């Protein structure tokens, strides 16, 4: 029964591949224009990705980039270190835990565009994988640059605010979507996530520290009303790059 259930989850996960490819391409290529050309020239040799396992329905996964295994037995809730990779047309493959078998199931396999000189995020959710590009340009007035990524498939569209609605980060944000960036002063924030059109909180994240000159992706992950996989707001952070020596 366990193997049959694992197979069903894999089929459900793999069924979103075509949707994933379109979503990934849009998210990867769309934000690249916001990264200054000078910054890309200066950092062309450094291209990195951080991976978040946010799919509560999957067991351990292995992640391959260009056929090289970069993460093994990666579990739900884990965030990887930054992984350097060769940019261009990048092949990303994700396989699932063997579940007692002598081979892994391929849950995702696609070639994705990854222009050089950028920092990427790869968020494993159900039924698709979400990707994005961090804006690593300096943040105005030394603040924090923040966007919200909705990665909880069973959670309805949400509004995200902080410090008793003093700061608004997202409105009516649905699953697989990312908000625009919001720049706020560095400091400590009490985040509140509510279902759009309702006042009751479904998730709070008090005391989250946002450091200056840093870009954040705050990922909504987990399952509503699930004690084993509760909803949470997981931060992925990337420090702004010094562009003082960027090529003209």
């Amino acid at each position: 029964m366990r193997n049959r259930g694992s197979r069903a989850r894999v089929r459900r996960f793999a069924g979103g591949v075509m949707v994933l490819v379109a979503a990934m391409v849009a998210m990867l290529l769309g934000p690249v224009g916001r990264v200054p050309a000078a910054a890309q020239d200066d950092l062309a040799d450094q291209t990195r990705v951080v991976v978040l396992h946010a799919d509560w329905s999957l067991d351990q996964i292995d992640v391959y980039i260009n056929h090289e295994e970069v993460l093994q037995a990666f579990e739900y809730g884990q965030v990887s270190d930054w992984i350097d990779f060769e940019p261009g047309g990048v092949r990303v493959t994700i396989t699932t835990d063997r579940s007692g078998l002598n081979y892994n199931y391929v849950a995702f396999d696609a070639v994705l565009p990854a222009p050089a000189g950028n920092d990427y995020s790869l968020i494993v959710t159900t039924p698709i994988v979400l990707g994005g590009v961090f804006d690593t340009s300096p943040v105005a007035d030394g603040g924090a640059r923040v966007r919200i990524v909705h990665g909880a498939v069973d959670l309805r569209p949400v509004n995200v605010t902080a410090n008793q609605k003093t700061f608004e980060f997202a409105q009516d944000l649905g699953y697989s979507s990312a908000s625009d960036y919001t720049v706020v002063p560095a400091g400590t924030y009490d985040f509140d996530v509510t279902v759009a059109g309702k006042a009751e909180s479904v998730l709070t994240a008090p005391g989250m520290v946002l450091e200056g000159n840093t870009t954040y992706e705050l990922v909504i992950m987990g399952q509503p009303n699930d004690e084993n996989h509760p909803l949470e707001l997981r931060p992925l952070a990337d420090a702004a790059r010094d562009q003082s020596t960027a090529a003209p």
Side-chain angles (χ1 to χ4, degrees), residues 98-110:
R98 288 184 176 85
S99 299
L101 302 178
N102 59 359
Y103 62 92
N104 284 5
Y105 288 103
V106 175
F108 170 68
D109 185 37

Side-chain angles (χ1 to χ4, degrees), residues 2 9 25 28 47 56 59 70 73 83-84 103 136 179 216 239:
R2 183 175 183 271
R9 289 197 301 270
V25 169
L28 287 181
T47 308
W56 57 269
D59 295 321
V70 296
I83 301 168
D84 294 314
Y103 62 92
T136 56
S179 69
Y216 291 89

Side-chain angles (χ1 to χ4, degrees), residues 37-51:
Q40 290 193 30
D41 292 339
D42 187 42
L43 300 168
D45 292 333
Q46 185 180 36
T47 308
R48 312 183 301 172
V49 63
V50 61
V51 182

Side-chain angles (χ1 to χ4, degrees), residues 189-208:
Y189 290 81
D190 298 328
F191 281 88
D192 186 31
V193 179
T194 60
V195 173
K198 296 187 177 181
E200 183 179 357
S201 297
V202 293
L203 166 62
T204 59
M208 184 175 293

Side-chain angles (χ1 to χ4, degrees), residues 52-57 76-77 124-126 150-155 175 203 219-226 228-234:
L52 168 63
H53 188 340
D55 188 346
W56 57 269
S57 71
Y76 174 77
V124 181
T125 74
T126 297
H150 191 325
V153 65
D154 290 325
L155 180 62
Y175 169 69
L203 166 62
V219 183
I220 301 172
M221 56 182 284
Q223 176 78 344
N225 303 314
D226 186 336
N228 295 321
H229 310 96
L231 290 172
E232 59 178 295
L233 195 62
R234 182 66 65 89

